[in-house]
Amino acid sequence: MARIYDRRNIRWGPNQLASLLMLNNAKFLPGFLLFSLVLINFPTASAQGNIRPFYPLYFTAQPKNAIVASGRSVTLNCTVMSASQPVTLRWLRGQSEVDTSNSNFVHLSNGALRINSVTRTEQGSYHCTAEDTRGKMIISQDAVLSIASLSSNIPSPEDVSVYEGDTARFKCQATGTPRPRISWQKDGSVLDLTMEIIASRFALLPSGALEIRNIRSIDGGSYRCQATNDVTGQTVTSRTASLTVVNGLPDPNREFEFIVNPQDVEARIGRNIVLEAATTEPAAFTWFKDDEEIVLFTGQDHYSIVGQGSLRISDLGEIDTGLYRVRASSGADGSTLTKTVRITAQVPPSFLVKPEDAHANVGNPFTFKCSVYGIPHPDVRWFKNGEEIDTSDTNIFRLVNGQNLQISQLIKEDDGTYQCVASNYVENVKETIEAAAELIVLDEGPATGPVPSKPRQLTASRILAQSVTAKWREPTTKNGEIQSYRIHIQAEGAKRQRIISVPGNRLQWEIDDLVSQTTYNIYTYAVNENGPGERSETLTIETQGVVQVPGSPQNLVALADSATSIYVSWEPPSSTFGDIQNYQLYYADLGTGQATREQEIQVTDTSYTVTGLSPYTRYGFRVEAFNENGPGPSSETIEARTFTDKPTSPPSNVTARPFSASSILLSWNLPPTSQRNGDITGYKVRYRLLENSDRAKTIVVDGILREFILSELERDSEYEIRIGAVNVNGTGPFTDWIPSKTLRDDQNEDNQPPPPAYLEVTSYPTKIQVRWGHPRDTSILVRGYMLGYGIGYPDRKIKELSSTTTDYMISNLQANAQYVIRLRAFNLKGEGFSLYETVYTRQDSSSGTTSPPEVLKTPLELRAVIKSASSALLSWADMEEGCCDGRHYQFMYKANYPANQKWFYVNTTDLTYALNGLQPYTMYEFKVRVVKDEAISGWSMITSNKTYQAAPTSAPKELTIYEVENSTTSLQLNWQPPRQSNGIITGYTIYYSTDATLPIEEWIEIDLEGEDLTTIIPSLTQDTMYHFRIQGHNVKGDSPISGIVSDTTPPVTAIPPDPITGAAAFPWWLWLVIVATIFLLLLLAILIVLCLVCGCCACCASCCPDSDCCGPFGPCCGALARCWTSMCPCCCSDEEECAKCCASLCCGATCCVCFGQQYKEKRKFQPKGKVNANGKIGNELDAPDLLWAKGGQSSDRDMTKSPLATELEPLNPGGGVDQHRGGMHETEFGTGKRHNQDMHMGGVPGYDYATSPRSLHLNQPPYMYSSTTATSGYHSDTNTVSSHEDSTSQMSSVSRPTNPLSSFTVPGPPPHYQGRVKMNAPTYSPLKKTQAGFGTAPRGRGQPLPVVTPRAPDVTVTRGPGGGTSPTSSARTFSAEDLNAEMINLEGLMKDLNAITASELQS
């Protein structure tokens, strides 16, 4: 969404500029006077040339690359300055406008864009555009927004075992954005490399590696690295690696080699870089730049040594670009290792020349100058009003020298703001700059005098498919000399017309670069010194159709058939326009880099085997089809390489010289490139004693070596040696036998080496050839030679040469100058004696006078029109008249990137050339010159153009798989773009499957964006092998699918190892979960136990009030007693049902709670009891709700009164029926329970109830029904109830605790008793039968049951002083409301009793 800004509403016309200068400040007066002179002519200039002023439009702040943590916010700046207000700003991501209606994107008032939360979807390239009210638009530089990341997996450093004094090295290959910061730990403690005592031997290198030199025994231990992302603060730690310091002396035969080889470096200027180098044993390191030794001295900051032998370069500059060579000399045996690398200092683009605002007239050509410098060479693009200009249409816009923009003929539509945008990649980050300028196209001014009349008889001849010749006659009236003619040509329906300027002496002109079968309108006019004349009549023509030639052959394939042949096949073109007469097959050796070496073969079939090729050589092939009209367009160029073969040449420059009394040093160079026939993998060295030449020994040497020491030879013996190169196909030819002889005594370095045996020099104009011999005294070891030279003084320049070198060519010298040469040998003791020579370089013979060659004019208007992804049409103009004088044209072309590409040469006699075999989507540079005999013109200006895109021809590379930390069902994939992408990669497709044999159509596919180079594949199966392939895409098609890369997901039981100890670790969070779960379970169990115990003991306290059943839980049970009551499942509608709902408790009693509506009505007037501190329910009026106790098996406690042994007392006169209710509350457990216990004890033989202490405190006697089985008899003697001895008598006593006003107790079944039990006769009529109530014991029919009648209230018996007893009446009184409630209860009980009695009588 656009946003409009109006900071300063200023119109920069003459009046406004004058007002600006006329400020109240005297210092502006001189400027105002000068500007007034300009304003005097301003209206006149405007009237004459329609000139308008320039309105500035440029950026004052532009977005920059940013790296931000995921989920964080970021602000991209964009501020513009314009004299034409208001200005409209827009933000774009890639080519799509940012939707600021999305709450995640906020367009701020100052033009900046704020992204509130950056995720993967917000990554990408952003830029802003600014458009003023005149429609002029500019675009900002691109800013790349990236999310900070850190690889979750660091490859573990490897264990190292070294001897004391050696060098150890641990790698830490951590990746991330930005590059992570590396630190190291030893035995779990951080290594502080800022401490001098540690930094003296420990070095942290830019690659993250830790290097320890001069190893000591205390260095042994475990090491691990830690990578830190400074943006997110995230850290990742590697596993530990152990360093073992081996006691004793090292093996004298151990191999001396590099631990790490120096690598090529490309870095931004100003950086500090390190060329890492280290060896397995102590060594002396020497560094060279471009074959000149780098001299290190104290106080030098630019070059320094880090670690064992790594070279540090501070503040990298362009001057540091070049080849660097390191030489490592072993301190043990003096053997040397060398390695050469390249450093490239990368420079962000910068403007040398910026485009400037300009006025230009219609019809004239115009060039915007823009010169940009950078390394790599910047890619320059031009924009007009925010839209990129297509420079491939060279008829209108073209790039000159690859950077300047040239417009062929201006028209009014070319008016606008132009931008030169340059970019390159520095350290894989895109750097962009831009500069804008305004072009104002002026109409031709009015005539200043008489002008020519219109040209006559405008006609067209030779109308072809792409050209036409226009002819006309002079105007009738010239009014002076005709300076030129202007031809205007415009295709029908086109918006732009071409204007061609023709010399005034020409009356015809060939107009080319037309489109076939297209209608054009043409007119012309003459121009004299007064201005343009009248225009002619308009001529309309139509170009002819194109000649019908075949299309390009399809599906060209080239396959190597052998080491010297390649099979090529293709398919006919899709459109042939007649019969195909033949094909022309073109091929070339791509290794030579010469397009003129292309060979051609005429073929009549659609396949051919090309023979006579060189082994292991890359060739390019293309095919053209011919019909009767000629050849059609060429096919795409494909490449193929022949198979490898045995080397056809032995190694070159082989030398053998004595090295010690038992060894000979053999050195050599590679065979010639064309005769290697493959990669050299090794060398076979054969040697034999001269006196025993029949027995030769063979040694195989690694292919990377160029020197080898033959050891364990006989002292002072002559040997013959030969060597042959080896590749995968076998061994090539051997050299001739080379003689050498071991020394009589071993060489030593006790002294400096003697001088060389001789020194010879040969001079040339700019070169000097130097030759010398090895010292004659072979007892002293020579490690190399130092060659110094200079004008008048030696050692102005010094070259260090190997000990095997005996000649050197000094080049790039001045002619006719005196040079002093100094040569000396050196070893570890120092430099030996020197030999000197003074020599003059020769006179340069080319400086003599010769006749100047013919001067040829440089070709002009070089154009390169891209026709396809691999072809371009080149055309140019030769300004010489008479171009058929034996001259020809030579043009050169090369790819613009990468740098240092070779130029390809092509010769032709035509002014056009169809160039094929170009690489897709590649910027090429072209230039041309004229050659005639010995004369050569200068090169034309370079023109550039880029070929079209094509489908990728190679698969994405370096597909690698990593495990995802703490995941057994995911794998991470990383890859790199295809080597031959042939365009911009727009996306990737990941294929994966557990079965590699399935067709690719059945694999699972995941599509990704082209910017992605890594992804995580989730939801995989644990411990399963997966196979992965990847394919890239661009707008032209798909790349080949990569090869299969496989990996296995971690097993289910895999637990990440402890990063310190390496042992399997249990995740800390899982320990926390387990401990918390156990704690909660224990707490829940304690609560449940407390609830059960407290509920149980509360019930027992009610049923057994005199027992301390709660024990230590007493104090806490009072507060939790209602917990158990609320958990009771019984909910009865009345007391009868409640009697059926019971739960067994700990003390043997059974209780249930009544919550019925009827009961609640009765309880309205009942006081409630409380639970005391011991968990027992007392006899207060606020006792809990009513509980009924049902007799069961009780404990053998003391009983106060037995209903079976005590005579029922009659009603107390005047006491009423309620006197028979006990003093216990309806909800109490205790009394009822005690009655049951007392009853049980009353049936125990030998128990004297009258003397029982508890009988003295009886509050209420129970009322009881007695029932017997069918075998029991009812006796008139009511004092006893008998039962058979072999039967079981069941007796149940239901004691209903009541309010003191309650009347009756409903009888229940008697408890079980054995034997005969004596009881007192009840006071009821023996003629009436009774109901057993709620008891379940069986009864005999016709046998009446005793009915318990109400009686007077209980009295408490107390013992007097004399041992007697005296009753005391209850002192409790009740209100009228209590009496009314009890009367209602009594009536209900009487009804129940009558119903029971009636039922028994009827039965």
Side-chain angles (χ1 to χ4, degrees), residues 593-755:
Q594 300 293 330
T596 54
R597 296 176 64 88
E598 192 174 51
Q599 307 294 322
E600 59 183 77
I601 302 173
Q602 184 172 321
V603 182
T604 57
D605 201 354
T606 57
S607 63
Y608 188 82
T609 300
V610 183
T611 58
L613 305 178
S614 300
Y616 198 62
T617 303
R618 189 166 55 94
Y619 288 88
F621 298 88
R622 65 183 182 88
V623 181
E624 293 179 356
F626 286 74
N627 66 3
E628 59 182 4
N629 296 320
S634 174
S635 66
E636 299 286 342
T637 299
I638 63 171
E639 299 179 7
R641 186 190 292 272
T642 52
F643 292 150
T644 58
D645 199 0
K646 294 180 180 180
T648 54
S649 175
S652 58
N653 300 328
V654 182
T655 61
R657 70 180 187 89
F659 190 75
S660 69
S662 61
S663 61
I664 295 175
L665 175 62
L666 181 68
S667 62
W668 64 90
N669 290 331
L670 285 166
T673 303
S674 60
Q675 299 179 6
R676 297 173 193 170
N677 302 336
D679 294 331
I680 300 300
T681 59
Y683 299 92
K684 284 187 177 180
V685 179
R686 293 179 180 173
Y687 63 97
R688 63 189 182 186
L689 277 169
L690 185 61
E691 62 186 19
N692 189 10
S693 59
D694 294 337
R695 300 183 60 184
K697 296 182 179 180
T698 302
I699 298 176
V700 179
V701 179
D702 193 276
I704 64 174
L705 298 180
R706 300 293 178 269
E707 292 181 350
F708 186 75
I709 298 177
L710 292 173
S711 57
E712 299 181 1
L713 306 180
E714 296 182 8
R715 182 186 300 271
D716 194 21
S717 300
E718 295 185 355
Y719 283 85
E720 290 183 325
I721 307 168
R722 65 193 305 185
I723 184 173
V726 180
N727 63 14
V728 295
N729 297 289
T731 305
F734 283 83
T735 61
D736 294 334
W737 290 103
I738 301 172
S740 185
K741 184 179 180 180
T742 56
L743 299 175
R744 177 173 298 177
D745 299 310
D746 285 333
Q747 292 181 323
N748 62 80
E749 291 185 89
D750 297 336
N751 299 301
Q752 298 172 348

Side-chain angles (χ1 to χ4, degrees), residues 95 139 379-391 419 946:
Q95 300 300 322
I139 64 172
D379 180 22
V380 176
R381 298 177 298 159
W382 281 89
F383 292 81
K384 178 193 173 187
N385 293 335
E387 295 184 2
E388 187 172 0
I389 298 173
D390 182 9
T391 56
Q419 280 182 281
K946 181 181 287 186

Side-chain angles (χ1 to χ4, degrees), residues 1275-1329:
H1275 302 274
S1276 57
D1277 181 7
T1278 60
N1279 292 328
T1280 59
V1281 177
S1282 62
S1283 175
H1284 295 285
E1285 292 182 1
D1286 57 349
S1287 64
T1288 302
S1289 297
Q1290 296 181 350
M1291 178 179 293
S1292 178
S1293 173
V1294 179
S1295 175
R1296 178 180 175 186
T1298 64
N1299 186 280
L1301 298 179
S1302 300
S1303 302
F1304 290 95
T1305 300
V1306 180
H1312 298 279
Y1313 291 99
Q1314 294 181 358
R1316 185 177 301 273
V1317 181
K1318 180 186 288 186
M1319 71 177 182
N1320 296 333
T1323 58
Y1324 65 93
S1325 174
L1327 301 178
K1328 294 184 179 180
K1329 297 181 179 180

Side-chain angles (χ1 to χ4, degrees), residues 28 57 248 309 567 657 749 795 877 954 956 1071 1139 1169 1270 1364 1386:
F28 286 101
L57 178 64
Y567 173 77
R657 70 180 187 89
E749 291 185 89
D795 291 354
S954 63
W1071 280 114
L1386 179 60

Side-chain angles (χ1 to χ4, degrees), residues 64-75:
K64 297 182 179 180
N65 298 337
I67 300 174
V68 63
S70 179
R72 299 290 182 86
S73 63
V74 67
T75 300

Side-chain angles (χ1 to χ4, degrees), residues 952 954-959 974-981 983-985 988 1010-1013 1030 1032 1039:
S954 63
K957 59 183 181 179
E958 298 180 18
L959 177 61
N974 296 344
W975 64 90
Q976 293 297 320
R979 188 179 301 277
Q980 298 173 351
S981 59
I984 300 175
I985 297 297
Y988 295 94
E1011 300 176 353
D1012 295 334
L1013 294 177
I1030 187 171
S1039 75

Side-chain angles (χ1 to χ4, degrees), residues 48 168 205 475 489 511 546 580 749 762 807 934 936 978 985 1059 1249 1332:
Q48 290 181 353
L205 302 176
I489 179 170
I511 306 171
V546 180
I580 298 296
E749 291 185 89
T762 304
D807 67 275
E934 300 296 324
I936 301 175
I985 297 297
Y1249 177 80

